[in-house]
Structure formats: C-alpha cells, structure tokens
Amino acid sequence: MRIPGPERQEDGGLSAVAAACGLHRYQLHLHEAYGPVVRFQLPGAETAVSVADPVLLEATAHLDTRPEKLFAFLDPLCEAGNLQVLPADEHTPWRRLLLSVLAGRPAHERHFARFTELAQELADRWAGQIDGEPVDLQQELTALSLRMICGFALGGAETDTDRVVAAFEEVLTEHLGRLYQVPRADPRSAERAEAALAYLRATVDRVVAAHRSGGRTDRSDLIGALVEAGQSPARIRDTVMVTLLAAHHTTGVAVSWTLHLLGRHPDVADRVAAELDQVLGERATPDYGDLRRLTYLDMVLKESMRLFPPGPYGARETTEDLVLGPYEIPAGTTVFYPFWAVHLNPEHWPEPERFDPERFTPQEVAKRPRLAYVPFGIGPRSCEGAALATVEAQLVLAVLLKRLHFRPAPGHEVTPVERFVLWARDGIRMRVRPRDL
C-alpha cells in the first residue's frame, strides 16, 4: 500500500516547511491532512516517512541509525566524528558510559546542592524585581540550565563559568544560524565562533589534565568517567560539547513553558504551591529525596512537555526493509518522529490542546500506549540525559514556585517557533512577585 502524502516539490520540500513556519508545525499539518503515517520530502533526506501513531512507533523503536545529512550541521563541533551519527558498534558503549553518569543517583546527588544554589540565586533576583517588571523566562532559564550543565560536565572544576556560558552561546548562535540559513549581521561572527570553540576545548583539556594529574576517578563526574574509560582527548572534548548542546536549551525551555502554562491556569498553580507547602513545610528548597514526593508537580511538568516538547522531533534511518502496519518501508528511508504530533494525537489524548495534568495519574498513564508520550525520544538513540534534565527541571520549578507567583505580562503574545528546540518567538515574558505579597 502506498503511503499517503503531499505531491513532490522541485525544491525538496523547503517551501512547504517555510509556509508552515517550521518543520514542527508542518508535521502537525501533514498528519491532520493525511493520517498517522505520512510520506513527505524532508530537506536533507530524499524520502521521509513521519509516524504519529504510538502503536506503529513500536515497530521502529529498535532503529539505531541516524540520517547523517540531517545532523551534518554538528560536524564542526566534533573532532573525532559526529557523536549524533556514530555507528551502533561505537555508539552503544559510548551511550552506556554516558548513562552510567547522567542517569545515576550518585551524580545527581553530588551536584544537587550546587544546582539548588543557582536556582535560589535566580529566585532571589526575581523576588527583588522592582514594581513587578516582567522577566524573560526563556532567556533567564536557559542561561540557568547552561550554568547547571557546565558545572556537571566540567565536574565542579575551577572554571570561569560566565566565560564558558558566553563562549558556548557564541558557538551555538553561529551554528544555528548556518542550520536555519540566517544571514550574518556581523562578518566576523564565524571568526568569533571559532575562537570561542577553541576556548571551550582548551577549558575541557585543562580539566582533563587536572583529573589525570590528581588521579581522580569519580564516576559521578562526566569527565572523570570518560578519562577512566580511556576515551581519547578528542572524544572527551566532543562529548562535553554535545552534552552542553543537548542540555543547554532543553531544560530551560521546559521550565519556561511550564511556568507559561501555570500562569494561565492559576488553579493548577495554586495546587502546585499547596503541594510544595505540604512537602517542604517552612523550607525554601527541596532535598533530593523530596522530588519523589512532589507527584503533582511531576504531573504538571509532564503535561507541559506533552504540549510543548522541548525537542519537537527526531529521526532515524532504516538499514533494512521495515513493515509498518499496512505499509512497507524500504531500507535507506528516513523515519521521522514528530513528537509534537504524537503528543497531540486525539486518538490517545482527548481534547489534545487542553492543559490537564490529570492525564498523568498512574491510572490514566496505564490506559495509553507506551510511546504516546516521548519527550526524550525513543529507542537506543533516546536522550541519555533525560533523568538529569528531569531532576533539574523539578528542582528549579520547586524553588521558584515555593516563593513566587507567575502571571502573564499584559499584551505579550507567546508563539512557539522552531529554533533547534521548541522556542517562543518573542520570548515568554511574565510578571513575578513573591507569594507572600
């Protein structure tokens, strides 16, 4: 059976994506028009098949190859080969090593106090805003998440965090500009990005040298684990760069969208505040063990990432023919994962655009297919940092919502757009005030 989809275009689908204001919205339009499985043209891939049915996704969950052309924009960040497209025999041990650090409780607990300090500093600053001047959540919270992951990736080593943050922003802005073909306003931007990248790699080298000279073998430390595993200097530098890239915007964006939704649903925000008061009492911040007890906060975060998944899509490539329901997918096809379309599939999410944290009670979760909710991807190429990102987001939300009220800034429109992550075009501006006022 032929897979349904739009007519082929001479420009490889670029104009269709542009007309939809980005690939993520294009996917929503495609699945609304053609159903749960759609054939379409994807810039960087000759043929792509998008799958928004969580039951059919199960047949693709084993795929362990990414389309190289779609991730080629990351090539300049990696010296020892693009980590996003490593072949399975290299990727599997590398992934196992990352999971041993990023997904482990010892690593989370080791860095939890520092993460808490950083979140408190932001809460202090926002609590002191004069006359409730609106804050730009996206800008502030993505900077916070980068500071957190810098500390985690560099193992708490003595580094100029502000300079690392600025350098990484320089690199990211340049390479995202190339990806989305944004004209350069400054002809020296590429030169500055190269200098920033050289500084970041030199910083990693210095931390690695300190580990080796000091004989440190703490496996809750990303660089320490990589050194102990005998990874090459280039692979260590690449891993730190990719970790910064993956974790930089995602956590900050997830928290921003969550506060955006809570600001528009004060009844839900009040329930979150009541839970925080019950679990924490007079304490301003949670302990690591408290996060498990913040069950409603966790439901709110999950519902937010359903409606606004930080990474709105993923992709794999078939290495052999694949049967997908009534369709045959030939080898070499790009299988596209439209997370946003999956999360808004009305077959599994009644009134899909409605914000309702009760969708994530254990009883409701048990009614849905396993892959109906995939904010961190699926299969052997899913996000290794999912557990760490969740801890960071829960902590930041707990610290902020224990002390502060968030309300939408009057007249400010929030519009999701594609910017590597699901970004708000003009920011997410909100008025903030202490809860006791």
Side-chain angles (χ1 to χ4, degrees), residues 88-230:
D89 60 340
E90 287 186 65
H91 175 260
T92 299
W94 179 78
R95 174 181 172 83
R96 190 179 299 121
L97 176 60
L98 285 192
L99 286 172
S100 72
V101 182
L102 298 174
R105 177 168 180 159
H108 299 169
E109 289 187 312
R110 177 175 181 234
H111 295 274
F112 195 80
R114 179 54 183 158
F115 289 171
T116 303
E117 288 176 10
L118 291 169
Q120 280 183 297
E121 289 172 5
L122 182 61
D124 289 343
R125 183 152 49 81
W126 283 357
Q129 287 287 114
I130 300 174
D131 297 327
E133 183 71 19
V135 299
D136 187 333
L137 297 189
Q138 262 182 175
Q139 181 179 350
E140 299 262 22
L141 288 167
T142 53
L144 172 64
S145 66
L146 183 53
R147 281 177 168 78
M148 286 181 168
I149 199 61
C150 276
F152 190 96
L154 300 176
E158 289 296 325
T159 56
D160 185 342
T161 304
D162 288 340
R163 188 176 175 189
V164 169
V165 169
F168 192 76
E169 286 284 9
E170 192 82 54
V171 172
L172 188 63
T173 299
E174 172 67 15
H175 288 282
L176 284 178
R178 295 177 192 175
L179 175 63
Y180 295 111
Q181 300 178 348
V182 176
R184 294 184 180 91
D186 184 346
R188 296 188 60 194
S189 61
E191 182 181 333
R192 287 201 310 272
E194 285 303 313
L197 182 57
Y199 166 74
L200 290 170
R201 286 173 172 161
T203 299
V204 173
D205 285 344
R206 182 166 52 79
V207 177
V208 169
H211 273 72
R212 287 179 169 146
S213 64
R216 294 172 58 184
T217 58
D218 187 351
R219 291 190 66 86
S220 67
D221 174 327
L222 178 59
I223 289 182
L226 293 166
V227 170
E228 184 183 343

